[in-house]
Amino acid sequence: MKVRMILDMPRLLAAPLVVLGLTSLGIGSLKAQDEGTVRIIDFGSDAEGDWSTVNDAVMGGLSAGNISTSGEGVALFEGSLSLENNGGFASVRTGIPDGALAGFSRLVARVRGDGKRYQLRLRMDRDFDGIAYVASFETTANEWITVEIPLGSFEPSFRGYRPRNAEPLDVGRVRQIGIMITDKQEGDFRLEIAWIGANRGEEGE
């Protein structure tokens, strides 16, 4: 997996918390929960993506975060969040194929965290800066969970604010997926990711 370091200005986001369908199963025990889910990023295969690291150092922040892969088919997003010098976020992101989310209603991720809150972030372009669409999720310390978030729950955000007149998220145009930790959660963090995918949800949703 290729990882690039990019410095970014602080984005101390206060996105709404969305947590659905948390399942405390082992990483290899998905079975029914995995049915109907298309894995867009899979760290157990060659579809892991080309990831960039985007932290708060450009404005003097001291947060550090990076992503790496293990030999066990998972990625590790880890580092330390600092609030000094107006800092307060660490993130990673990767591009996805055009139209990869078209026709889907939910974003799904298989993760094992540290009990902290993280964000999933979507962008409808391949630009470095600009509007992101954000939803937060909680983790359970040291337990694998499956997070399911309706794509309609992602809200627009630009540098920590909700921009006026932002267009709704068009899932067919999503071209980047990212993960961020912020919300003044100072200290070390650790999030393992097995895969990120999408499904169409239950009929009628």
Side-chain angles (χ1 to χ4, degrees):
M1 176 181 65
K2 298 178 180 178
V3 179
R4 293 178 288 136
M5 174 66 73
I6 300 176
L7 305 181
D8 200 359
M9 61 189 64
R11 295 179 182 138
L12 305 180
L13 302 175
L17 177 65
V18 180
V19 184
L20 293 174
L22 302 186
T23 308
S24 300
L25 299 176
I27 187 171
S29 304
L30 294 174
K31 296 184 180 178
Q33 284 76 15
D34 195 24
E35 289 182 6
T37 297
V38 174
R39 299 187 184 189
I40 298 168
I41 300 165
D42 189 348
F43 293 99
S45 71
D46 59 359
E48 60 192 29
D50 181 3
W51 290 79
S52 299
T53 301
V54 186
N55 297 327
D56 59 20
V58 72
M59 296 295 291
L62 301 178
S63 300
N66 61 77
I67 188 168
S68 60
T69 53
S70 72
E72 299 178 354
V74 299
L76 176 61
F77 173 44
E78 64 177 342
S80 181
L81 203 68
S82 172
L83 306 184
E84 295 186 34
N85 299 343
N86 296 316
F89 79 86
S91 70
V92 292
R93 66 174 72 161
T94 189
I96 63 173
D98 292 353
L101 293 183
F104 292 101
S105 64
R106 292 174 178 266
L107 198 69
V108 187
R110 187 69 174 164
V111 300
R112 179 165 64 182
D114 49 11
K116 293 188 175 183
R117 180 185 299 110
Y118 293 84
Q119 295 178 356
L120 283 165
R121 299 168 63 85
L122 306 176
R123 292 175 180 269
M124 295 192 296
D125 54 44
R126 300 197 186 280
D127 295 342
F128 169 70
D129 206 2
I131 294 174
Y133 293 79
V134 179
S136 297
F137 63 93
E138 299 279 1
T139 62
T140 302
N142 301 316
E143 290 187 18
W144 283 103
I145 62 174
T146 300
V147 179
E148 293 191 20
I149 304 177
L151 286 163
S153 297
F154 282 77
E155 296 194 355
S157 179
F158 180 66
R159 300 182 184 177
Y161 299 93
R162 180 163 185 159
R164 293 183 179 180
N165 302 319
E167 63 179 315
L169 176 66
D170 181 346
V171 298
R173 291 167 51 197
V174 173
R175 303 179 77 182
Q176 293 188 66
I177 292 178
I179 301 170
M180 176 180 281
I181 183 168
T182 181
D183 297 331
K184 300 183 178 180
Q185 299 178 98
E186 191 170 17
D188 294 342
F189 64 87
R190 177 186 175 91
L191 179 71
E192 292 176 273
I193 310 111
W195 50 263
I196 300 172
N199 67 39
R200 292 175 173 81
E202 297 295 332
E203 186 175 352
E205 287 186 326

